[in-house]
Amino acid sequence: DDEVHVRQKVVEVDPQEEAEFDRELRALMQESLDSRKLEVRARPTLNMMIPMNVFEGSTKDHHGRGVEGESGDETLDEETGRNKEVRVKVLVKRGNKQQTKQMYIPRDCSLVQSTKQKEAAELEE
Amino acid sequence: EETGEDENYEYGKGDFTEHACRYCGVQNPACVARCNVPSCRKWFCNSRGNTSGSHIVNHLVRAKHKEVCLHKDSPLGETILECYNCGCRNVFLLGFISAKAESVVVLLCREPCLSVNALKDMNWDLSQWCPLIDDRCFLQWLVKVRVFFSSGLLCFFSPPGDMLETFLNWLISCILQIPSEQEQLRARQISAQQINKVEELWKTNPDASLEDLEKPGVDDEPQPVVLKYEDAYQYQNVFAPLITLEADYDKMMKESQSKDNLTIRWDIGLNKKRIAYFVFPKEDNELRLVPGDELRLRYSGDAAHPAWQSVGHVIKLTAQEEVALELRASQGVPVDVNHGYSVDFVWKSTSFDRMQGAMKTFAVDETSVSGYIYHHLLGHEVEVQVVRNTLPRRFGAPGLPELNASQVFAVKSVLQKAVSLIQGPPGTGKTVTSAAIVYHMAKQGQGQVLVCAPSNVAVDQLAEKISATGLKVVRLCAKSREAVSSPVEHLTLHYQVRHLDTSEKSELHKLQQLKDEQGELSSSDEKKYKALKRATEREISQSADVICCTCVGAGDPRLLNFRFRQVLIDESTQATEPECLIPLVLGVKQVILVGDHCQLGPVIMCKKAARAGLAQSLFERLVLLGVKPFRLQVQYRMHPSLSEFPSNSFYEGTLQNGVTINERQSSGIDFPWPVPNRPMLFYVQMGQEEISASGTSYLNRTEAANVEKIVTTFLRSGVVPSQIGVITPYEGQRAYIVNYMSRNGSLRQQLYKEIEVASVDSFQGREKDYIILSCVRSNEHQGIGFLNDPRRLNVALTRARYGIVILGNPKVLSKQPLWNGLLTHYKVVMEMQEATLIKKAARENLTPTLSRRQQKVPIISIGKQPLQILHKGGCPAPQEHECLVEGPLNNLKQSMVQFQKPKKIYN
Ligand SMILES: [Zn+2]
Ligand SMILES: [Zn+2]
Ligand SMILES: [Zn+2]
């Protein structure tokens, strides 16, 4: 019985402020990039192996949803009945230890699009 | 020693959690990230509000900080964002890549790691590097964003029946990802300008808060109150400095109140405590003591006595200005010494702390008030919320008088609304109406009802009426007032604790008795006593249907864990907004404010705070925002002749009389009213005003002398002292009249001592059979000061039941339009039938044509303007009923004094 109707104000972002902010943000990115180019001369050594335990499903789920599912679990969009999100494992380092965390990424994220498209195609067959 | 105060109690529930966004206050762990620069470490959210970048990105850009850490309760846990390969932490360089085959992703820096070709050979897909910061915002699936509504209508509701489960599931999934909708709506609306300012401030003071931006300098005028507030933070930003100003002023005033060379009369109270009686001479305009005030009594010592001091509470004030002070400690009191004492005021910040606390709770704790009330109070556009309650068949309540039509309408309407205002003009029965509302709310089974008012007197009156309906009422008094006698003592919590007679309580009673007899307990007994008392207090309070206390009292720690969905505040137009907020932030979903914005508002001592608008009540602001109060329309106090002018001038002529002329006929009283059946008299006075001894107030000797003559005439004619009230706007005149009557009264002195002489302001909410009003102001050019406020005139004119005598100088008063209207009313009183016609015409916006017989051409001003009647050609109309008189009381003559033209139209 707690029904609230609030008319929100139309919030306008000052275009001048927006332009100025954009300029500063780009400057910061460029500066970061330039400083790295100067600073890091030697090519870094690669340390990008995906550890085996990632595939064993023993990861800790911080999202409060089921931990049992297969990798690439999907949630259903209530409205359309279509898959809205996909589950991914994020690989991070704690000191020298590798850890994975589960996360849900929107289906339309460029990051997952290519792999998911393949899987979806397989499922339909 | 139990001080009876809540000194160690921190006001304001809920706190800014450490991880709340430093810009907007959003504190959902999934939505915030910490700036990882060691000197900064502030948290920000990933939503934009009304700025172009998200708050965290805004901060990083403005402060040129580049490292970020996620919250421990976020999906990724406490994680510093860094390149998986090289450990680079510059978020402006980071992005995600995924493995070619598996659903595995890592953060990788753009330079140099992304450009290492060898990675392609290691199953990583480098074509889809996805930057961490996109569109001036962190990736939204990594740091969640509160949904941003650019415009339109937001709606939250619980749908009925089988939809509910689906809805709840959906809601839960939303809550897991984004801040609750309450939180989104209540977040602070910060502008880009504010962000730039606070970032600038952080460079020199990293701990500064947004509030520091608003803090006025010592000499600055404070920010004035406004009609609408963006959010509760802005609300707090405006009101908190005003409360501080008022508190500082109050402290300064009170602490300068020391008095020396007092003579003490010692006594012992029923509770065996020492009581010191002494006269506390008050000069005019200074604050008055009220029961519950804390004073420190000092004796500097002599050959036979060491120096001594003790703190106590004022428990009583007699009409003769004698103070009864109950001392806290009975030991070592020099009771054999009577002279040479000093007394200081002990100032307490309690009430101000509670106001500040309530504002903080309002801003930070989203359960403090319902969403609807939150937006309503801030002046946001909310659609009227209907409370779905089954209405009772009868709207009256047992033990109360039958309700009239406007009262029934008010009760019925407010029961169905979440926020409502009831305007109760003088004598219209607002206490009965309030009690009936509380009765029906309590019967709805929504938990305990909280009933408040700013003054103790009003709370007592309401408690009594509500208790008469049969509801279980607990009246919670401040601990400092427990020794102050109350007309509803049996309802007070402290009385019930002492007298609740059950076997379980016997232990408490035993300890209480011991404490009373010995003055103190052993420390273990004291501990036991306190615990038992607290438990008993809690038990009694919890079993009540209704809790009654002052607005400030609602912040009492004894109510800390209580929640009240339904709150009624009486006399709410006499409370400041922050004061009104104290009872509301205990979980209110339905609030009823009762009051009358056409009578006097809260008293603000600090001029700066008053100028900034602290004197405007919440009730008034809601009226200005368009909330229409339900007005009670039948008055049961005044003789119909007395209600006429106030009704026309302050209530658009809507006041009806619930009493007849016959019911207000003072039979057997022989007083020289100029017109029979019209017990009203304006006694023309030409004596000059003077500045009082203190230099800050006024008195008028001629008026005082004539007040005594009128009082004597009343007394001679058979009126008893308790029926008479003398009121005046000026403290100087009040003191002078008391003095004058006791010296010069021609009857027994005691009779004059029993007559109440008070300021107009302190008489609000009260009534007497006969009122004598001394206007005081009489000068050529200084104006009329206090009398200018129409609300004060309204209060002054509406205290009398049977008759009123006004003493004043028409030449001076008539310059002010409203007073001009009043004088005209006394000079030319129309016959009732004509008055009704004019009122009707005024209501219908017509120009009335009047009685051909008298050929008067009245000019009626419509709306708030006073009723003015002029004869054709602008001369005063023929004087038929003349109540404006002069001369000796035994030979009153119609006064021919000429009025001045009113200077400007009062608005
Ligand atoms: Zn920072
Ligand atoms: Zn924020
Ligand atoms: Zn790297």
Side-chain angles (χ1 to χ4, degrees):
Chain A
D1 63 335
D2 198 8
E3 194 175 326
V4 187
H5 301 269
V6 187
R7 253 179 268 278
Q8 290 283 89
K9 269 202 328 200
V10 180
V11 184
E12 287 156 13
V13 175
D14 177 14
Q16 218 177 326
E17 189 263 327
E18 190 167 15
E20 188 224 353
F21 184 80
D22 243 358
R23 205 165 45 241
E24 276 193 51
L25 175 62
R26 237 172 295 159
L28 206 55
M29 284 200 162
Q30 195 55 49
E31 176 207 300
S32 299
L33 213 54
D34 293 349
S35 71
R36 288 290 282 182
K37 280 179 179 157
L38 289 173
E39 175 187 309
V40 191
R41 284 287 152 90
R43 283 290 163 212
T45 48
L46 279 179
N47 185 13
M48 294 284 289
M49 287 299 291
I50 301 174
M52 285 316 288
N53 64 0
V54 169
F55 309 112
E56 286 159 15
S58 61
T59 50
K60 198 175 166 221
D61 183 10
H62 279 262
H63 215 295
R65 300 191 207 184
V67 270
E68 291 305 311
E70 296 298 308
S71 88
D73 246 6
E74 297 171 352
T75 57
L76 229 53
D77 187 323
E78 297 293 346
E79 279 167 43
T80 59
R82 290 188 48 201
N83 302 331
K84 198 172 65 175
E85 290 180 335
V86 291
R87 191 172 64 169
V88 298
K89 286 170 180 162
V90 182
L91 204 52
V92 294
K93 267 187 199 143
R94 288 279 140 87
N96 286 324
K97 272 182 71 184
Q98 290 162 323
Q99 274 188 8
T100 59
K101 306 270 173 145
Q102 284 187 97
M103 282 216 63
Y104 287 82
I105 297 186
R107 195 185 170 73
D108 54 6
C109 176
S110 62
L111 200 55
V112 291
Q113 221 134 38
S114 52
T115 42
K116 283 293 125 184
Q117 270 162 5
K118 259 181 270 165
E119 276 180 31
E122 281 161 24
L123 265 173
E124 265 172 35
E125 279 165 18
Chain B
E1 188 193 24
E2 192 182 25
T3 61
E5 293 302 329
D6 37 359
E7 275 142 12
N8 301 319
Y9 174 66
E10 216 206 302
Y11 292 99
K13 264 171 73 187
D15 211 338
F16 290 109
T17 46
E18 196 217 1
H19 64 262
C21 172
R22 289 294 285 268
Y23 289 164
C24 74
V26 158
Q27 38 182 278
N28 187 320
C31 302
V32 293
R34 193 185 69 200
C35 172
N36 204 44
V37 172
S39 62
C40 180
R41 302 226 152 201
K42 294 182 176 67
W43 291 89
F44 297 92
C45 76
N46 194 30
S47 47
R48 291 171 203 270
N50 38 17
T51 47
S52 39
S54 82
H55 289 167
I56 178 72
V57 174
N58 241 296
H59 166 70
L60 297 173
V61 170
R62 299 293 182 205
K64 308 241 183 300
H65 292 171
K66 292 166 190 169
E67 294 183 19
V68 160
C69 179
L70 301 179
H71 193 275
K72 66 174 170 37
D73 298 327
S74 70
L76 274 193
E78 187 169 2
T79 307
I80 296 171
L81 300 176
E82 57 186 20
C83 173
Y84 186 77
N85 190 50
C86 74
C88 162
R89 290 178 174 182
N90 184 334
V91 291
F92 296 100
L93 292 173
L94 295 176
F96 279 102
I97 54 163
S98 67
K100 274 176 188 155
E102 307 301 331
S103 300
V104 175
V105 300
V106 290
L107 270 174
L108 199 72
C109 73
R110 212 172 129 191
E111 184 67 36
C113 299
L114 187 63
S115 40
V116 177
N117 279 326
L119 275 178
K120 284 180 195 155
D121 309 329
M122 288 180 65
N123 291 326
W124 294 105
D125 180 1
L126 299 185
S127 64
Q128 297 291 349
W129 184 80
C130 177
L132 196 53
I133 296 172
D134 185 25
D135 190 22
R136 289 163 272 173
C137 200
F138 269 70
L139 285 174
Q140 303 195 3
W141 47 267
L142 185 66
V143 186
K144 306 292 182 196
V145 175
R146 61 192 174 100
V147 177
F148 179 63
F149 301 91
S150 63
S151 73
L153 199 67
L154 255 182
C155 187
F156 352 170
F157 57 97
S158 0
D162 51 352
M163 286 284 290
L164 193 62
E165 204 186 313
T166 326
F167 172 73
L168 285 178
N169 285 336
W170 172 77
L171 197 65
I172 288 163
S173 73
C174 289
I175 288 167
L176 285 170
Q177 291 178 54
I178 59 167
S180 74
E181 294 180 337
Q182 292 283 352
E183 194 178 2
Q184 299 155 30
L185 282 167
R186 292 188 184 191
R188 186 199 330 253
Q189 307 292 314
I190 187 172
S191 68
Q193 286 81 0
Q194 279 175 302
I195 287 178
N196 291 344
K197 264 204 225 160
V198 78
E199 286 289 354
E200 206 49 47
L201 194 60
W202 281 336
K203 285 177 185 161
T204 51
N205 176 12
D207 296 323
S209 70
L210 267 172
E211 282 68 37
D212 295 330
L213 286 182
E214 321 287 341
K215 266 185 195 147
V218 187
D219 296 322
D220 291 349
E221 281 294 318
Q223 242 189 100
V225 306
V226 289
L227 210 50
K228 300 176 182 188
Y229 298 86
E230 288 282 325
D231 51 44
Y233 297 100
Q234 191 204 352
Y235 184 87
Q236 195 183 6
N237 284 344
V238 170
F239 278 101
L242 300 185
I243 291 299
T244 306
L245 277 173
E246 180 68 4
D248 291 346
Y249 190 90
D250 191 55
K251 182 170 195 282
M252 190 264 291
M253 277 285 288
K254 287 186 169 152
E255 289 184 344
S256 66
Q257 294 293 301
S258 293
K259 294 262 187 310
D260 296 319
N261 293 318
L262 295 177
T263 300
I264 306 287
R265 179 166 65 81
W266 292 107
D267 199 1
I268 290 181
L270 288 173
N271 57 1
K272 311 258 171 33
K273 289 196 172 166
R274 254 319 144 186
I275 299 174
Y277 284 92
F278 54 92
V279 176
F280 189 81
K282 57 170 181 255
E283 279 118 53
D284 43 54
N285 103 308
E286 281 176 358
L287 77 143
R288 274 149 208 238
L289 291 178
V290 291
D293 279 349
E294 200 169 302
L295 302 178
R296 183 183 298 105
L297 192 61
R298 289 182 284 125
Y299 183 64
S300 53
D302 57 44
H305 302 87
W308 168 88
Q309 65 172 42
S310 175
V311 170
H313 288 114
V314 175
I315 56 168
K316 202 166 66 184
L317 292 153
T318 68
Q320 285 71 49
E321 303 184 356
E322 198 179 38
V323 178
L325 186 72
E326 183 188 273
L327 297 184
R328 212 181 270 164
S330 309
Q331 271 80 36
V333 182
V335 285
D336 52 330
V337 181
N338 296 94
H339 302 284
Y341 285 88
S342 301
V343 70
D344 320 303
F345 200 97
V346 181
W347 185 77
K348 292 276 174 186
S349 64
T350 313
S351 52
F352 301 104
D353 292 344
R354 288 183 185 173
M355 293 180 210
Q356 302 282 19
M359 286 189 285
K360 186 174 156 200
T361 305
F362 183 50
V364 175
D365 177 4
E366 61 187 57
T367 65
S368 60
V369 302
S370 75
Y372 179 79
I373 288 180
Y374 175 87
H375 294 293
H376 204 110
L377 296 188
L378 293 173
H380 300 168
E381 271 187 59
V382 271
E383 294 199 345
V384 173
Q385 189 178 45
V386 177
V387 176
R388 275 178 282 272
N389 276 326
T390 24
L391 287 174
R393 236 174 291 146
R394 285 186 60 250
F395 291 98
L400 296 180
E402 211 47 55
L403 301 183
N404 65 43
S406 65
Q407 289 170 334
V408 166
F409 183 69
V411 175
K412 184 179 169 183
S413 311
V414 305
L415 286 175
Q416 301 177 91
K417 286 182 73 185
V419 177
S420 35
L421 307 177
I422 295 181
Q423 186 187 12
T428 50
K430 67 189 168 66
T431 310
V432 168
T433 310
S434 300
I437 292 165
V438 172
Y439 174 80
H440 292 299
M441 287 200 298
K443 292 290 174 194
Q444 283 168 353
Q446 299 212 41
Q448 297 178 291
V449 181
L450 181 62
V451 174
C452 295
S455 80
N456 279 288
V457 177
V459 175
D460 286 346
Q461 281 174 1
L462 253 174
E464 193 171 15
K465 280 275 184 307
I466 295 166
S467 163
T469 67
L471 291 178
K472 238 170 149 183
V473 175
V474 161
R475 161 72 162 106
L476 179 72
C477 294
K479 288 205 167 156
S480 60
R481 288 182 60 93
E482 289 187 353
V484 179
S485 74
S486 154
V488 288
E489 186 167 43
H490 62 289
L491 300 177
T492 60
L493 181 60
H494 56 275
Y495 179 93
Q496 294 191 39
V497 168
R498 271 175 176 257
H499 295 84
L500 194 73
D501 228 3
T502 63
S503 51
E504 302 95 72
K505 302 297 165 323
S506 62
E507 173 78 7
L508 176 62
H509 289 168
K510 227 181 288 164
L511 289 168
Q512 180 74 58
Q513 210 171 357
L514 209 62
K515 193 179 163 92
D516 289 351
E517 275 161 16
Q518 302 177 345
E520 57 187 332
L521 294 170
S522 69
S523 65
S524 67
D525 274 356
E526 180 68 31
K527 229 176 172 177
K528 213 187 306 170
Y529 167 76
K530 273 189 178 166
L532 276 170
K533 192 170 164 196
R534 216 167 293 141
T536 312
E537 281 176 345
R538 193 160 175 78
E539 194 187 320
I540 295 171
S541 310
Q542 276 173 337
S543 70
D545 300 313
V546 179
I547 304 260
C548 297
C549 59
T550 59
C551 294
V552 168
D556 193 297
R558 287 172 289 177
L559 292 182
L560 185 60
N561 294 310
F562 283 68
R563 305 293 284 170
F564 300 97
R565 294 160 69 100
Q566 297 166 304
V567 179
L568 181 140
I569 305 177
D570 193 8
E571 279 188 351
S572 66
T573 44
Q574 286 177 265
T576 60
E577 283 212 28
E579 194 178 351
C580 248
L581 211 53
I582 302 172
L584 298 186
V585 296
L586 302 172
V588 74
K589 284 173 176 261
Q590 189 177 17
V591 57
I592 292 129
L593 301 179
V594 185
D596 182 8
H597 54 299
C598 297
Q599 295 184 59
L600 289 161
V603 179
I604 305 300
M605 308 286 283
C606 170
K607 289 211 175 73
K608 228 184 204 179
R611 264 201 308 274
L614 187 58
Q616 177 181 275
S617 65
L618 175 60
F619 185 114
E620 259 181 291
R621 185 165 62 86
L622 290 176
V623 169
L624 293 174
L625 279 169
V627 182
K628 204 165 175 282
F630 298 101
R631 184 186 281 164
L632 306 180
Q633 293 181 325
V634 186
Q635 71 87 14
Y636 298 93
R637 176 183 296 161
M638 296 163 271
H639 185 290
S641 301
L642 305 188
S643 68
E644 203 180 330
F645 181 81
S647 173
N648 289 332
S649 305
F650 307 109
Y651 304 103
E652 293 95 30
T654 58
L655 268 197
Q656 298 154 35
N657 296 307
V659 286
T660 62
I661 293 175
N662 285 339
E663 285 169 292
R664 284 291 175 268
Q665 201 126 47
S666 16
S667 48
I669 304 294
D670 178 30
F671 189 84
W673 301 113
V675 181
N677 281 334
R678 285 194 167 274
M680 49 195 268
L681 187 160
F682 196 110
Y683 199 7
V684 175
Q685 306 287 308
M686 289 302 179
Q688 283 298 299
E689 69 183 35
E690 290 167 47
I691 291 173
S692 70
S694 70
T696 52
S697 188
Y698 293 91
L699 59 88
N700 186 316
R701 291 169 201 266
T702 333
E703 282 187 22
N706 282 319
V707 165
E708 183 273 318
K709 289 200 179 80
I710 292 160
V711 167
T712 304
T713 311
F714 273 127
L715 292 173
R716 281 223 177 90
S717 72
V719 175
V720 297
S722 63
Q723 286 180 284
I724 304 172
V726 178
I727 55 175
T728 172
Y730 291 95
E731 179 54 34
Q733 178 76 340
R734 191 204 64 80
Y736 186 78
I737 291 174
V738 171
N739 214 320
Y740 184 91
M741 288 206 303
S742 69
R743 286 185 192 180
N744 303 294
S746 49
L747 303 173
R748 250 185 329 121
Q749 226 194 42
Q750 189 55 36
L751 287 173
Y752 297 99
K753 279 193 174 170
E754 285 168 27
I755 285 166
E756 211 172 328
V757 185
S759 69
V760 172
D761 297 35
S762 72
F763 228 77
Q764 180 155 326
R766 307 191 44 211
E767 59 179 29
K768 284 280 180 188
D769 287 351
Y770 298 97
I771 286 287
I772 301 161
L773 167 64
S774 170
C775 294
V776 180
R777 299 312 297 270
S778 178
N779 56 58
E780 281 298 316
H781 304 291
Q782 268 81 49
I784 59 170
F786 277 172
L787 298 171
N788 257 317
D789 190 338
R791 299 179 304 172
R792 187 167 282 111
L793 180 59
N794 185 17
V795 171
L797 295 177
T798 52
R799 301 303 100 200
R801 300 173 76 226
Y802 285 85
I804 186 166
V805 178
I806 306 171
L807 297 93
N809 182 340
K811 265 198 144 83
V812 174
L813 296 169
S814 59
K815 285 181 202 162
Q816 203 259 30
L818 191 59
W819 277 93
N820 192 291
L822 179 78
L823 287 158
T824 310
H825 179 77
Y826 271 71
K827 200 172 167 74
V828 189
V829 179
M830 286 173 297
E831 280 168 24
M832 287 306 249
Q833 207 193 345
E834 294 168 20
T836 316
L837 265 177
I838 291 171
K839 262 187 273 174
K840 188 166 177 285
R843 270 203 299 276
E844 289 163 11
N845 235 351
L846 299 170
T847 313
T849 48
L850 247 213
S851 162
R852 281 137 275 130
R853 179 167 55 91
Q854 287 158 12
Q855 297 188 328
K856 277 190 243 170
V857 183
I859 297 164
I860 312 293
S861 39
I862 310 217
K864 280 182 188 158
Q865 295 306 316
L867 193 65
Q868 290 187 29
I869 306 135
L870 296 172
H871 190 233
K872 216 178 234 165
C875 309
Q879 295 143 22
E880 288 186 71
H881 306 304
E882 181 61 78
C883 298
L884 187 82
V885 293
E886 58 193 27
L889 269 178
N890 55 13
N891 188 21
L892 290 173
K893 291 238 165 62
Q894 298 182 357
S895 171
M896 292 300 154
V897 64
Q898 289 294 305
F899 297 168
Q900 309 249 1
K901 265 205 194 116
K903 269 201 179 126
K904 56 177 181 212
I905 302 297
Y906 175 74
N907 195 347

